């Protein structure tokens, strides 16, 4: 038997197997705990609990390391592109030229949404939250994929991935046009994935938008940086839903709903709102920091802090550099960027943040670069979702192909009322 951990409760003890991952992370396998000890563990928010073993992404929060299938995020952000990185996450290896060409062709083949889906889109009010539209339309799109909707055959994963990735992009752009009350722009087969998205977002029936290659590169890099992040809230949601053998469309739609939360993917919108309030209001960076430290003010420094990263989020560092590069290239001076830098500088030298290990996360600067690229604030989390889809698909696949996979069903410690008899209504109150 390998290394074990000993747990003792009321004089009774059990030896629990130790699991060591490929990056030497150590876990205690408690699969037999309840059977042998009549006890379970409790870990509100799962800060200390591994939900699974996974080979997709590795994060070292203390060292600021993020790798997709072993490749450092810095290398992928600089040298790869979103479709190649998506392929890597889903299939586990960087694609050969023929593999990449085939995947790109699938994405082009599946870029149109069924015309009837536009009736579903038309049913939303003009001010419908884009994440509500996205999650609903992904399930609606699944209804037009009857040949693969309920497939769990791993040989279909490439086709399923291409359909979802390509059509989510078309749906996202269409939801933006609907929000504006403008005609939907159809995709083009002569453009890259990201350029085509920007075309569908910003072209008009009478005027083609030809995206600046620098803008395409910046958006493509944002998609790479958002593509996966191991067991975050939305990916864990996709795995949870997928563990019930729910189809890929339903699982991805559930991930969109989790990502919508302001503590998660919704933070990029909250950051811009926070910076705007400081810019337009009476607060300075310093006075806002003082408010954040005052618990009674209930103010958070949005875009700061992370459950895993306790020194720096490598993605934030890459995006911050991209901000300077892209805004410089576009000749944009955004006062919100200056405020963000002042907030970061103040926080990095303030014991409140240093003691709590609070640093900029992926959302702190991403909104500023998206603003500069002309992406409207209420589309920021949709952009995050488009980037995260390959990661969700990779994790759904990992659950789907697991021969020992079981439905995820956590236990609990009950703290409600103990046994009591039914009280007729006349005897209540
Ligand atoms: C993403 O998990 C992932 O990987 C997510 C993600 C991904 O790629 O999928 O990286 C994307 O979701 C990034 C996070 C985006 N969210 C935000 O920026 C929202 C602001 N951040 C916080 O809400 C918070 O930092 C979280 C949600 C990110 C993490 O929350 P934790 O780990 O539960 O931390 P906590 O709430 O227990 O905070 C510990 C302490 C508390 O103070 P004390 O009670 O000890 O006095 O730090 C404080 C918190 O009040 N704190 C903050 C803060 N974040 C934590 N104080 C002010 N501002 C903040 N942003």
């Amino acid at each position: 038997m390998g290394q074990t951990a000993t747990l003792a409760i009321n004089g009774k003890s059990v030896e629990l197997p130790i699991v060591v991952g490929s990056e030497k992370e150590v876990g205690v396998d408690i699969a037999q705990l309840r059977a042998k000890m009549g006890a379970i563990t409790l870990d509100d928010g799962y800060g200390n609990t591994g939900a699974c073993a996974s080979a997709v992404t590795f994060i070292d929060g203390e060292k600021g390391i993020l790798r997709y299938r072993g490749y450092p995020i810095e290398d992928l952000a600089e040298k790869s592109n979103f479709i190649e990185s998506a392929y890597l996450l889903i299939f586990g290896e960087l694609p050969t030229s023929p593999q990449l060409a085939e995947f790109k062709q699938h994405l082009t083949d599946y870029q149109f949404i069924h015309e009837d889906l536009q009736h579903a889109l038309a049913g939303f009010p003009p001010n419908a939250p884009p994440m509500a539209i996205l999650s609903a339309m992904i399930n609606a799109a699944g209804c037009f994929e009857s040949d693969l909707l309920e497939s769990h055959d791993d040989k279909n994963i490439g086709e399923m991935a291409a359909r979802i990735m390509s059509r989510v992009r078309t749906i996202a752009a269409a939801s933006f046009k609907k929000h504006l009350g403008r005609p939907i722009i159809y995709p083009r087969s002569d453009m890259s994935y990201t350029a085509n998205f920007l075309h569908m977002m910003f072209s008009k029936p009478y005027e083609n938008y030809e995206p600046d290659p620098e803008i395409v590169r910046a958006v493509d890099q944002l998609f790479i940086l958002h593509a996966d992040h191991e067991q975050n809230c939305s990916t864990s949601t996709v795995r949870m839903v997928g563990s019930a053998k729910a189809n890929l469309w339903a699982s991805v739609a559930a991930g969109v709903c989790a990502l919508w939360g302001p503590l998660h993917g919704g933070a990029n919108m909250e950051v811009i709102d926070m910076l705007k309030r400081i810019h337009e209001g009476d607060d300075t960076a310093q006075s806002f920091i003082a408010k954040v430290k005052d618990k009674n003010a209930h103010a958070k420094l949005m875009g700061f802090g992370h459950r895993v990263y306790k020194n720096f989020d490598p993605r934030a560092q890459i995006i911050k550099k991209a901000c300077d590069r892209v805004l410089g290239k576009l000749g944009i001076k955004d006062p919100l960027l200056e405020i963000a830098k002042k907030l970061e500088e103040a926080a990095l030298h303030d014991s409140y943040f240093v003691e709590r290990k609070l640093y900029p996360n992926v959302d702190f600067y991403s909104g500023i670069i998206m603003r500069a690229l002309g992406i409207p604030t209420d589309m920021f989390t949709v952009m995050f979702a488009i980037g995260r889809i390959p990661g969700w698909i990779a994790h759904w696949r990992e659950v789907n192909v697991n021969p020992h996979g079981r439905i995820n069903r956590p236990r609990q410690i009950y703290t409600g009322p103990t046994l009591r008899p039914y009280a007729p209504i006349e005897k209540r109150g």
Side-chain angles (χ1 to χ4, degrees), residues 85-379:
S85 296
Y87 187 100
L88 168 66
L89 284 165
I90 295 166
F91 294 99
E93 297 295 338
L94 286 169
T96 59
S97 294
Q99 288 169 332
L100 186 58
E102 184 191 31
F103 192 51
K104 283 181 175 176
Q105 187 54 52
H106 275 331
L107 288 166
T108 300
D109 296 344
Y110 296 123
Q111 61 185 355
F112 282 94
I113 57 176
H114 194 290
E115 286 289 303
D116 289 353
L117 268 176
Q118 298 201 26
H119 300 309
L121 189 59
F124 289 97
N127 61 346
M131 290 295 272
I133 297 177
L134 190 62
S135 56
M137 288 294 286
I138 288 171
N139 267 319
C143 298
F144 292 84
E145 313 281 4
S146 53
D147 59 328
L148 288 178
L149 180 63
E150 296 301 347
S151 170
H152 288 271
D153 184 341
D154 193 50
K155 74 171 183 337
N156 293 327
I157 195 69
E159 183 100 8
M160 292 158 75
R163 293 190 191 185
I164 287 191
M165 281 182 64
S166 197
R167 287 173 173 153
V168 162
R169 171 194 49 177
T170 304
I171 289 167
S175 72
F176 173 56
K177 288 298 191 186
K178 171 193 173 53
H179 179 64
L180 297 176
R182 299 261 175 76
I184 286 170
I185 298 297
Y186 282 19
R188 284 171 48 175
S189 52
D190 61 339
M191 292 181 122
S192 71
Y193 182 92
T194 302
N196 209 353
F197 170 68
L198 294 169
H199 151 67
M200 289 189 274
M201 283 279 286
F202 299 120
S203 286
K204 301 179 181 71
Y206 51 85
E207 185 184 283
N208 252 349
Y209 169 80
E210 294 295 341
D212 177 311
E214 184 73 31
I215 290 184
V216 175
R217 177 70 193 130
V219 175
D220 202 72
Q221 191 178 63
L222 280 176
F223 286 154
I224 295 172
L225 293 168
H226 286 81
D228 194 53
H229 215 238
E230 53 129 286
Q231 304 305 316
N232 60 84
C233 180
S234 53
T235 301
S236 297
T237 301
V238 171
R239 291 184 76 109
M240 173 70 80
V241 174
S243 77
K245 287 296 178 197
N247 67 66
L248 181 56
W249 283 260
S251 304
V252 167
V256 169
C257 294
L259 190 71
W260 189 356
L263 294 186
H264 190 14
N268 52 22
M269 293 166 56
E270 299 285 333
V271 168
I272 294 299
D273 289 347
M274 172 186 74
L275 296 175
K276 279 182 182 169
R277 284 198 306 275
I278 295 170
H279 180 55
E280 293 155 7
D282 304 330
D283 270 322
T284 61
Q286 288 297 353
S287 65
F288 185 76
I289 290 284
K291 274 184 186 169
V292 169
K293 292 160 64 178
D294 171 8
K295 294 293 183 187
N296 298 321
H298 303 294
K300 276 188 185 287
L301 185 53
M302 298 309 278
F304 253 67
H306 199 277
R307 175 63 56 77
V308 177
Y309 289 123
K310 297 305 176 189
N311 277 320
F312 63 93
D313 181 336
R315 303 167 297 175
Q317 296 196 325
I318 295 169
I319 294 173
K320 183 179 176 183
K321 285 190 196 119
C323 272
D324 288 331
R325 186 182 73 247
V326 172
L327 271 68
K329 160 95 180 172
L330 298 176
I332 295 173
K333 274 225 161 300
D334 186 347
L336 302 192
L337 176 57
E338 299 320 308
I339 294 171
K341 288 182 175 177
K342 284 185 185 140
L343 285 170
E344 180 183 8
E345 185 62 22
L348 294 183
H349 295 90
D350 187 301
S351 60
Y352 173 92
F353 298 89
V354 175
E355 283 162 9
R356 291 168 177 80
K357 299 181 183 292
L358 303 176
Y359 298 88
N361 59 49
V362 67
D363 294 303
F364 192 62
Y365 286 105
S366 57
I368 290 172
I369 202 167
M370 287 194 271
R371 234 164 82 92
L373 300 174
I375 308 285
T377 305
D378 62 5
M379 286 288 286

Side-chain angles (χ1 to χ4, degrees), residues 55-56 67-72 76 80-95 100 103 390 394 397:
V56 179
R67 298 187 196 130
Y68 297 164
R69 302 285 190 180
Y71 293 94
L76 294 171
S80 185
N81 59 64
F82 177 54
I83 297 311
E84 182 182 77
S85 296
Y87 187 100
L88 168 66
L89 284 165
I90 295 166
F91 294 99
E93 297 295 338
L94 286 169
L100 186 58
F103 192 51
R397 181 185 187 205

Side-chain angles (χ1 to χ4, degrees), residues 398-426:
E398 196 169 58
V399 170
N400 185 51
V401 300
N402 180 356
H404 311 296
R406 303 169 69 201
I407 190 169
N408 292 353
R409 203 274 184 219
R411 293 272 182 167
Q412 64 164 24
I413 295 293
Y414 176 70
T415 58
T418 53
L419 178 64
R420 52 183 174 165
Y422 179 79
I425 195 160
E426 59 275 8

